[in-house]
Amino acid sequence: MMNNLISFFLFLLLSIHVLTTDARQSDTLTNLMKLKKKKMMMGTTGISELHESRIMSPLKVLISQMGSKEADKIGKLPGQPGAVDFAQYGGYLTVDHKAGRALFYYFVEAVGSNHSSKPLLLWLNGGPGCSSFGYGAMEELGPFRVKSDGKTLFRNPFAWNNEANVLFLESPAGVGFSYSNTTSDYGLSSDSRTAKDAYVFLVNWLERFPEYKRREFYIAGESYAGHYVPQLAHAIIQQNELANNTIINLKGIAIGNALINDLTDELGMYDFFWSHALMSDENIDRIHKNCDFSSTNSTSKPCYEVSDYDLGSLDIYNIYAPLCFSSSLTTPPKKPSVMNYDPCSDYYVSAYLNRPEVQEALHANVTKLDHRWSGCSIVIPEWGDSPDTVLPILEELMAKGLRVWVYSGDVDGRLPVTSTRYSLNKLKLPVKTPWQAWYVNQEVGGYSAVYKGDLTLATVRGAGHEVPSYQPIRALAMIKFFLAGKPLPS
């Protein structure tokens, strides 16, 4: 009975957020963290443990698929600004034939004729339950942004396909255009299933795009993708070892404003509030006195119950960003600018992706989901396993020789730079290159430090939770050096 009430509680929270504000990925993250604490206090096991099933048995490299690369090719998106110098694709791959579970992808090759020499980069958004296409591709690092009329697009000159062939995956099933024919699948969403389905997707996508099989492969993501990315990387390394073959040529991962370690992430959030004058001395003292940040097994009240603070009307994902005061579209559209962040972009993207001609051009099928496209899923009622920390996985990936970058937009209040620093400090790694400024166009782009084990911590100055949305030039420069395996320019 209690478990059912908890599930309903989370579903209600998710539904309210999505239906009223087309919730952002940090809203769903906040709800998950509250639920994890409630379940722990009630003695419910499973959600906060490092899930044993992350050790997977060998998976099939190829599942018989309908569709082909040429069938997935997108000629031109509605409202697209003329011809482009890259190919783009959209479509589905089935990850479970019996359940009818299929994941939607959007893929853009690197610009120009040299895409064959560029690496392959997979991008994942977090939540859990938020769209890598709607957020990542259409508001952050993809080649297009949506104008304020919700009908037309404009080019993003700082898209990451300037440096890589970029693959956006809507994951897990129930997110964005991805779906399952088995409704009960949505109630079984979890970290372990998400990693497994993403792995099955990848090996089958590479069969559809075989020219990328031996290409250097990287995974990047933000927010709750701080779980998705390392766990998928772990699955890839494990499957390569089980097969005694490089099935996927994984070279490194990059996670931004990422959930890494629950206790230090939470402490870092409150300390960020105080250090940025969003909280009084009395409130931070009360939190430090009453909140237990030393053990996930604590039965003390959650911090959000013992703390008494009000941040006021600001965007917690970028504490200095403007707010959106109208969900209305504008005709004709406002003059667009990638450099000037538009806080109402969520509404433009939602309107665009719910246009039938857009869904047809993308080869997307939302009729299998009994709702409109939304930025964060309303059909995932609860979340299964979610470990308290991914630090052991990061250590394992570094031990296997992978490049690991952790970056942080320094004005995000939800998973701020203080959280990231507290969490990484738990690793107690020796410093290889001390903390120093890095530069773009003769300006400080942020700060970075390199640790032994090939771990880089980088900040992006003036960026919020979705780094490429707020600082597109600095984000592109950062990912360029990450992919090249070079230190940020000091």
Side-chain angles (χ1 to χ4, degrees), residues 128-398:
C130 296
S131 170
S132 301
F133 180 45
Y135 287 114
M138 304 306 288
E139 294 191 42
E140 300 186 63
L141 56 127
F144 302 113
R145 299 279 182 89
V146 183
K147 292 184 180 180
S148 62
D149 60 359
K151 296 180 181 179
T152 51
L153 305 175
F154 64 103
R155 190 76 180 262
N156 174 14
F158 310 109
W160 287 12
N161 72 326
N162 284 291
E163 299 296 333
N165 302 278
V166 186
L167 175 61
F168 300 89
L169 176 62
E170 304 253 76
S171 175
V175 173
F177 292 124
S178 296
Y179 68 88
S180 177
N181 290 330
T182 305
T183 305
S184 60
D185 268 355
Y186 302 134
L188 300 174
S189 298
S190 67
D191 280 21
S192 54
R193 172 176 275 196
T194 299
K196 182 177 179 179
D197 280 0
Y199 178 82
V200 174
F201 167 87
L202 278 174
V203 292
N204 288 282
W205 187 88
L206 289 171
E207 293 296 325
R208 191 172 292 186
F209 291 79
E211 64 270 32
Y212 292 97
K213 280 188 176 183
R214 295 291 174 258
R215 200 74 59 90
E216 287 193 351
F217 179 66
Y218 298 87
I219 316 172
E222 69 192 13
S223 195
Y224 197 75
H227 278 217
Y228 292 164
V229 173
Q231 290 172 341
L232 175 57
H234 173 272
I236 291 171
I237 294 296
Q238 184 189 77
Q239 293 296 309
N240 284 350
E241 291 176 348
L242 288 171
N244 195 26
N245 182 31
T246 304
I247 300 171
I248 298 175
N249 189 22
L250 179 63
K251 295 296 184 180
I253 67 169
I255 50 177
N257 292 90
L259 184 70
I260 298 173
N261 186 70
D262 287 359
L263 295 175
T264 44
D265 286 344
E266 186 180 13
L267 172 62
M269 180 181 69
Y270 295 121
D271 284 352
F272 180 89
F273 293 164
W274 179 80
S275 65
H276 285 72
L278 305 180
M279 180 180 284
S280 69
D281 291 351
E282 293 78 14
N283 280 332
I284 196 66
D285 289 344
R286 184 184 300 113
I287 287 171
H288 287 166
K289 179 180 178 181
N290 293 287
C291 299
D292 184 358
F293 297 109
S294 63
S295 172
T296 57
N297 296 319
S298 169
T299 55
S300 62
K301 288 185 177 181
C303 266
Y304 62 84
E305 290 186 8
V306 301
S307 55
D308 179 21
Y309 64 92
D310 181 6
L311 299 183
S313 297
L314 57 75
D315 183 352
I316 194 175
Y317 319 114
N318 182 335
I319 62 172
Y320 302 124
L323 299 179
C324 178
F325 294 104
S326 174
S327 61
S328 300
L329 304 178
T330 61
T331 303
K334 297 181 290 185
K335 183 178 180 180
S337 171
V338 172
M339 295 303 297
N340 296 321
Y341 171 73
D342 188 331
C344 299
S345 295
D346 285 0
Y347 296 107
Y348 313 155
V349 171
S350 181
Y352 182 78
L353 294 183
N354 277 295
R355 297 180 65 85
E357 63 271 26
V358 172
Q359 295 168 4
E360 182 178 357
L362 289 168
H363 312 125
N365 179 11
V366 294
T367 60
K368 294 182 182 294
L369 292 174
D370 192 22
H371 63 81
R372 301 171 71 250
W373 181 93
S374 61
C376 294
S377 175
I378 61 174
V379 300
I380 298 176
E382 61 180 311
W383 195 257
D385 59 88
S386 175
D388 296 321
T389 181
V390 295
L391 290 175
I393 303 179
L394 295 182
E395 288 180 308
E396 182 179 345
L397 298 179
M398 288 187 287

